[in-house]
Amino acid sequence: MTDYLSMHSRLTQVGQEHLLKFWHELTTDERADLVRDIEELNLDEIKQYFDRATISMNENGIKLDNRLQPIPEGKLISIARTSGEKLNAYRDEGLQQISNGHVAVLLMAGGQGTRLGFDHPKGMYDVGLQSRKTLFRIQAERILKLEELAQDATGKRGHITWYIMTSEHTVQPTYEYFLANNFFGLKSENVLLFEQGSLPCFEYDGRIILDERHRVARAPDGNGGIYRAMKRQGILDDMQKRGVLYLHAHSVDNILIKVADPVFIGYCVQEKADCAAKVVEKAAPNEAVGVVAIVDGKYQVVEYSEISAKTAEMRNSDGRLTFSAGNICNHFFSAHFLQKIGSSFEQELKLHVAKKKIPFVDNAGKRLTPDKPNGIKIEKFVFDVFEFAEKFVAMEVPRDEEFSALKNADVAGKDCPKTARADLYRLHKKYIEDAGGFVHGEVCEISPFITYAGENLASQVEGKSFTSPVYLRDTRDPLHGHL
């Protein structure tokens, strides 16, 4: 495609010949950059993408009330309303699968900590705990602890493979950070980084925007890009080679995440689920969170803007909200289902469109930043595969034990470092008190090396009194949580 005439002819066929309008003014290196950008575009898909995106954009704002049903009772299990005996059976199943090496984790960690005032991958963020541990370290240590718990339960040591989806901007600093920290004690061969894809940005007429005279404007393709990226970058093949049967996928910014939660894994395995979601009960009808529901007979996440206030306020006979299953980006997939998505359904994923202010090059070749939206960015969402599952289930988990998002700086007052710390301290204080200890004060942290989810604490805390700040640590814990 490096021959100008053949490239111009090919681009003309798909209405994108304007990408070459500055060709004769470019240096050799700049031409090479532009050729590479154009070759990375799947030109046969471009028009199809834009057409599908336009349909999606025209559907924005349509209310789904009349087509909506809640998750049936038989497809949703609530931790709070399930016997300890049943939960232990699920946990045992999950630990067995971990020991057999059948479980992997997919961490969605492509984002920067920009909104936190942190110009690095978000997983490297130090939330301000006493241990100074970052999100990456906390999650790595939970994986290590879970491998130990599985070995204690079954007598067999299995490894949890950790697939980490990065972006082109975060892949190198993430790798260097893991290397500098010796992969936090995990085996380096069991930690695989791969890159999220990107999609071109379009003008409203379907023409691709030039970011510079020699560069195509692109944007990350959203967390739903994992399916294509996993296929293209060999992750699906790697899972097959390792004998991984089940995958727990979640975002990096939930400080309370139960990584590879054996109860969740065990429940999904026993239910023979293709795909599953952890959900939290909506705090209020007007909480701006998507809910997992059935639309036209298929499971999907329905955004808050897609249902009316009247529907959002509907309640069951027990007083609980009818549409209460709040989505928290915490999912289970069978490897078989992911292979099916990669080979066929990925091309059918819904496209989500946002009108944005996208920097562009004017006719004189000057790069401008518009003061109002001038084009569209296209994203795919991880949960849009739900509709392709033959067997979908959900697990409602207690919000105060499993979900505390880290998205904003402290000035926002919610989903920020201050609330993340408080939520973790509150949970860890509860662990100690449930095990028979007493905590005076609020600052309370327990290393993942001591307990994964409150288990096996009694021998250390029962009948003892602790005064804040409390930090229960293991000999393996570093003096500081990161380099």
Side-chain angles (χ1 to χ4, degrees), residues 428-429 432-433 437-444 464-468 470:
H428 288 192
K429 179 178 177 177
I432 290 175
E433 291 176 341
F438 305 92
V439 179
H440 305 284
E442 303 307 320
V443 177
C444 181
K464 293 181 183 175
S465 186
F466 301 87
T467 301
S468 171
V470 180

Side-chain angles (χ1 to χ4, degrees), residues 264-449:
F264 187 41
I265 301 288
Y267 166 63
C268 295
V269 169
Q270 292 198 359
E271 288 291 324
K272 297 183 170 56
D274 294 314
C275 172
K278 274 192 180 183
V279 297
V280 295
E281 190 168 5
K282 277 182 72 171
N286 62 350
E287 184 183 5
V289 61
V291 294
V292 181
I294 297 174
V295 179
D296 298 335
K298 292 179 178 176
Y299 286 94
Q300 71 174 65
V301 172
V302 178
E303 296 299 340
Y304 175 63
S305 58
E306 293 178 311
I307 55 175
S308 68
K310 185 179 176 186
T311 298
E313 288 163 8
M314 283 172 58
R315 293 186 182 271
N316 301 335
S317 56
D318 60 4
R320 294 172 63 245
L321 290 171
T322 301
F323 296 100
S324 64
N327 176 52
I328 56 171
C329 195
N330 191 328
H331 309 304
F332 164 94
F333 303 107
S334 72
H336 178 68
F337 180 64
L338 287 173
Q339 293 285 357
K340 279 203 295 190
I341 296 296
S343 60
S344 58
F345 294 129
E346 196 280 330
Q347 289 84 2
E348 298 174 40
L349 272 189
K350 185 178 176 186
L351 300 177
H352 299 263
V353 178
K355 295 180 179 180
K356 297 282 187 180
K357 301 173 194 171
I358 303 167
F360 67 100
V361 175
D362 68 10
N363 288 328
K366 185 180 176 187
R367 190 175 191 265
L368 303 173
T369 301
D371 53 11
K372 61 182 182 181
N374 63 317
I376 63 170
K377 290 184 178 180
I378 300 172
E379 281 189 311
K380 304 171 191 175
F381 292 165
V382 64
F383 51 69
D384 281 329
V385 295
F386 292 179
E387 65 171 288
F388 304 117
E390 288 176 31
K391 179 73 183 285
F392 176 88
V393 294
M395 174 178 277
E396 184 187 279
V397 298
R399 186 187 295 240
D400 61 348
E401 294 183 12
E402 298 212 27
F403 184 60
S404 180
L406 180 63
K407 298 192 179 296
N408 310 310
D410 275 338
V411 67
K414 70 170 191 173
D415 296 341
C416 60
K418 186 177 179 181
T419 55
R421 283 194 305 274
D423 289 341
L424 183 131
Y425 290 156
R426 193 181 304 114
L427 178 61
H428 288 192
K429 179 178 177 177
K430 181 176 182 286
Y431 285 164
I432 290 175
E433 291 176 341
D434 286 352
F438 305 92
V439 179
H440 305 284
E442 303 307 320
V443 177
C444 181
E445 181 184 355
I446 308 173
S447 164
F449 289 129

Side-chain angles (χ1 to χ4, degrees), residues 21-22 143 200 223 239 262 288 309 311 364 408 437 462:
K21 66 181 170 184
F22 300 107
I143 289 173
N223 57 21
M239 287 173 66
T311 298
N408 310 310
E462 192 171 12

